[in-house]
Amino acid sequence: MSFKRFTTPLTFLGDKLGDIPDTAALTAYEHWWAVQGQAVSEAVDSTGTPWLRMFNRAGSRIDEICYPPDYWAMLRKGYREGIISSVFEQNSVLPFYRLGYITAFHDPGLYCPYTVSLATAVPLEKYGSEALKARFLPHLLRTDDEVWQGATWMTEIKGGSDLGANVETIARNQGDHWCLSGDKYFASNIGAELAVVAARPEGATQDVRGLTLFLLPRLKENGELNYTVRRLKDKIATRSVPTGEVELRDSEAWLLGTHEQGVYLILEVLNISRVANSIASVALAQRAIAEATDFARQRRAFGKAIIEHPLLQQQFHERHHGLQAAMALACKAAWMLDEVWRQTPPYNDRYHLFRLLAHLAKYWTAEFAAQTCKWAMEVHGGLGVLAEYPVERWFRESMILSIWEGTAHRQILDGLEVMQRKAAHKGLFEALRPTADPHALAEIEARIERHLELAEDEQEARAEKLFHDLARFSAETFLTQSQVR
Ligand SMILES: Cc1cc2nc3c(=O)[nH]c(=O)nc-3n(C[C@H](O)[C@H](O)[C@H](O)COP(=O)(O)OP(=O)(O)OC[C@H]3O[C@@H](n4cnc5c(N)ncnc54)[C@H](O)[C@@H]3O)c2cc1C
């Protein structure tokens, strides 16, 4: 097998996310990463977490997130390339995922600021009032150094999986705006100028339907801080996105959509990020495989390069195949999102199919990335665990992918829910049918139908194997489709 096309992100990405209108621009972006961005990214990772300057010398609270200056050049590069603006110019999310793939290949953590910026811009553009859009949206769409960033803050200290029970941030109506009070425990891209935030309007029910999405600027109109940062998190990886804790105290915010739409808007935000997480997972897996390939070609044992030994060669073949299947599933989710991202509730069946695909892709690709990075470490032997070589970092980076934007448990259970309540599996099977093995398809269809008849507790208890098999089957079948296209 020739591994050549697996060594750089663009050679592998090809046209899987649509015809690339300007190949030269993407090639130049990839080249920039190779000759400049990568070194900055490595320096940021090895110096550890960014730090927080809470006060200026005059004693005023400023809550500035401090990084080396090169960090900002690396971060702004993506905005300059139009990673956010092109989505609205081209009315398509695919340019975002293409640029994201190249970014994540070099720095998976850095894809997070772009992802949460898009996940802020989209609900603002879809659900914000005209006045709100005119005031804030142009800042997010800039491609120069003045660009604003977004952030998506839902999780609080009591837990992120069950937002309905655990969001305690309260929103009080003040006429034309709202005041939010509460604490957000995991707030990534914490220096962002705007955030979308889940909060509960006073008197709303104590469940997920009681939640509403608000737009929260970092500064009030008078220039004062709108909230404070309690501290930054010290993390094992994703150090190129600062994550911290935010204290909201009568912080000015604006409602997005209606209160009744709140939970749907929160899920829209999460689903944009889940697809990005899938794309980043595949990019990271490709990177780890590329690293392992390089190493295995030059490392010798028992008289030949280790890649020549049959056992390892077989593993390389399986990893390359798995990578292509994971990519096929991630791309299918991105294509589906591209079809439905403009929908508003109530959604149609295509949207529900997208939700199922997003859960399958997030679950499958994150697991594949983690396993692949662990395997790439093993291929390096003892050198794999040394911080001086890249594969150790890729392993650390992979650990977050199955946790944020909802853990694997969440993807499985929400995937079950969209099958149970919206019959999304029927649309999935129709999408798979043209190239699926008919016997295998009939078997998994029957398994799903039987499963959905079980009592609720039993459904959950037995869900993992079924969801795993469905994800694998979908990934393999979409890979076949992409090959016959
Ligand atoms: C580095 C980092 C950055 C983050 N950035 C952000 C951010 O910017 N914005 C944001 O909103 N959040 C962010 N998060 C939070 C992240 O989304 C949550 O960590 C995640 O959703 C899980 O929530 P939790 O950590 O509170 O775990 P919990 O919800 O407390 O869950 C603990 C465990 O129980 C499992 N569990 C829960 N319910 C069930 C069930 N019904 N069945 C089976 N298992 C279950 C979970 O899957 C998990 O394994 C970030 C997290 C990290 C680590």
Side-chain angles (χ1 to χ4, degrees), residues 6 31 71 100 111 235 246 289 298 343 358 396 454 465:
F6 297 107
H31 182 70
Y71 168 81
Y111 193 23
K235 299 175 288 183
V246 165
I289 293 173
Q298 56 82 29
Q343 284 195 29
R396 283 187 286 112
L454 296 173
K465 173 89 173 72

Side-chain angles (χ1 to χ4, degrees), residues 7-282:
T7 52
T8 68
L10 255 186
T11 45
F12 181 54
L13 178 65
D15 63 356
K16 293 184 179 76
L17 288 173
D19 291 338
I20 300 172
D22 185 0
T23 321
L26 274 190
T27 308
Y29 185 55
E30 179 174 275
H31 182 70
W32 176 88
W33 266 108
V35 299
Q36 283 188 48
Q38 192 67 75
V40 180
S41 168
E42 280 163 22
V44 168
D45 178 65
S46 59
T47 51
T49 195
W51 55 281
L52 172 65
R53 184 184 285 133
M54 292 175 99
F55 296 93
N56 65 13
R57 283 186 294 183
S60 302
R61 190 80 188 248
I62 52 168
D63 287 3
E64 187 187 345
I65 312 299
C66 300
Y67 267 117
D70 280 354
Y71 168 81
W72 300 107
M74 174 176 75
L75 177 70
R76 288 194 186 113
K77 180 73 180 163
Y79 294 111
R80 284 182 183 282
E81 297 297 317
I83 195 162
I84 307 298
S85 59
S86 58
V87 168
F88 298 91
E89 282 159 17
Q90 297 177 32
N91 194 24
S92 166
V93 292
L94 296 179
F96 170 78
Y97 292 119
R98 282 197 287 265
L99 281 163
Y101 192 82
I102 296 172
T103 308
F105 181 89
H106 296 94
D107 187 334
L110 196 75
Y111 193 23
C112 174
Y114 302 137
T115 299
V116 290
S117 292
L118 182 68
T120 302
V122 168
L124 170 59
E125 201 262 355
K126 283 175 70 175
Y127 300 102
S129 67
E130 289 308 316
L132 213 54
K133 282 195 272 193
R135 180 168 161 199
F136 292 117
L137 192 58
H139 294 289
L140 291 171
L141 304 187
R142 293 181 75 123
T143 54
D144 59 14
D145 285 358
E146 304 303 313
V147 63
W148 283 20
Q149 297 195 78
T152 61
W153 300 337
M154 317 293 171
T155 310
E156 301 187 4
I157 182 67
K158 289 184 180 165
S161 304
D162 185 3
L163 287 177
N166 294 330
V167 169
E168 293 181 341
T169 297
I170 288 292
R172 292 185 186 86
N173 194 335
Q174 303 291 316
D176 71 328
H177 72 282
W178 294 68
C179 281
L180 305 191
S181 294
D183 297 340
K184 292 291 169 187
Y185 189 71
F186 278 112
S188 286
N189 212 21
I190 195 161
E193 287 81 2
L194 279 177
V196 287
V197 175
R200 199 180 306 276
E202 269 180 320
T205 51
Q206 205 53 43
D207 57 15
V208 78
R209 300 215 167 260
L211 298 181
T212 298
L213 193 67
F214 291 91
L215 186 75
L216 172 91
R218 180 167 184 269
L219 299 179
K220 295 182 184 175
E221 257 186 309
N222 64 10
E224 287 174 12
L225 284 180
N226 196 22
Y227 52 80
T228 51
V229 176
R230 185 186 297 139
R231 63 176 169 140
L232 296 188
K233 309 285 195 193
D234 193 356
K235 299 175 288 183
I236 63 164
T238 60
R239 290 168 177 163
S240 40
V241 54
T243 303
E245 295 170 27
V246 165
E247 297 174 330
L248 306 167
R249 299 291 180 265
D250 279 333
S251 305
E252 284 176 9
W254 284 267
L255 183 70
L256 291 174
T258 62
H259 172 59
E260 292 68 34
Q261 289 175 322
V263 58
Y264 300 106
L265 270 59
I266 291 169
L267 290 176
E268 283 192 21
V269 166
L270 284 173
N271 283 329
I272 290 171
S273 302
R274 285 170 179 158
V275 177
N277 200 84
S278 309
I279 293 289
S281 297
V282 181

Side-chain angles (χ1 to χ4, degrees), residues 218-440:
R218 180 167 184 269
L219 299 179
K220 295 182 184 175
E221 257 186 309
N222 64 10
E224 287 174 12
L225 284 180
N226 196 22
Y227 52 80
T228 51
V229 176
R230 185 186 297 139
R231 63 176 169 140
L232 296 188
K233 309 285 195 193
D234 193 356
K235 299 175 288 183
I236 63 164
T238 60
R239 290 168 177 163
S240 40
V241 54
T243 303
E245 295 170 27
V246 165
E247 297 174 330
L248 306 167
R249 299 291 180 265
D250 279 333
S251 305
E252 284 176 9
W254 284 267
L255 183 70
L256 291 174
T258 62
H259 172 59
E260 292 68 34
Q261 289 175 322
V263 58
Y264 300 106
L265 270 59
I266 291 169
L267 290 176
E268 283 192 21
V269 166
L270 284 173
N271 283 329
I272 290 171
S273 302
R274 285 170 179 158
V275 177
N277 200 84
S278 309
I279 293 289
S281 297
V282 181
L284 177 57
Q286 191 202 342
R287 182 65 192 254
I289 293 173
E291 218 79 63
T293 309
D294 258 11
F295 179 78
R297 279 198 180 125
Q298 56 82 29
R299 186 74 162 185
R300 294 178 69 80
F302 302 102
K304 53 187 173 184
I306 59 172
I307 202 168
E308 305 294 337
H309 288 284
L311 173 58
L312 211 50
Q313 205 168 61
Q314 179 61 24
Q315 288 187 350
F316 270 96
H317 280 287
E318 285 170 13
R319 285 288 148 195
H320 281 107
H321 178 81
L323 180 70
Q324 293 175 80
M327 183 65 143
L329 184 56
C331 288
K332 188 71 184 175
W335 279 102
M336 271 309 293
L337 177 60
D338 201 46
E339 181 184 323
V340 302
W341 72 289
R342 290 242 157 243
Q343 284 195 29
T344 55
Y347 308 110
N348 69 16
D349 286 349
R350 299 291 287 171
Y351 193 91
H352 300 310
L353 170 58
F354 157 68
R355 277 179 55 203
L356 177 55
L357 280 166
H359 293 310
L360 288 167
K362 202 290 180 168
Y363 164 81
W364 184 254
T365 57
E367 189 55 32
F368 181 72
Q371 291 302 330
T372 300
C373 290
K374 172 179 170 286
W375 167 82
M377 206 175 220
E378 284 167 11
V379 170
H380 282 73
L383 301 183
V385 297
L386 301 184
E388 63 196 281
Y389 302 116
V391 74
E392 175 267 353
R393 174 180 177 194
W394 305 134
F395 177 78
R396 283 187 286 112
E397 298 277 356
S398 73
M399 289 295 106
I400 186 63
L401 295 167
S402 67
I403 295 176
W404 61 11
E405 320 306 348
T407 59
H409 306 132
R410 215 43 278 144
Q411 305 313 315
I412 294 171
L413 296 176
D414 287 358
L416 261 189
E417 192 207 15
V418 74
M419 290 194 264
Q420 182 76 275
R421 295 180 51 176
K422 304 291 178 186
H425 53 297
K426 301 213 186 282
L428 176 64
F429 293 135
E430 287 322 303
L432 295 171
R433 204 171 304 282
T435 49
D437 169 346
H439 297 293

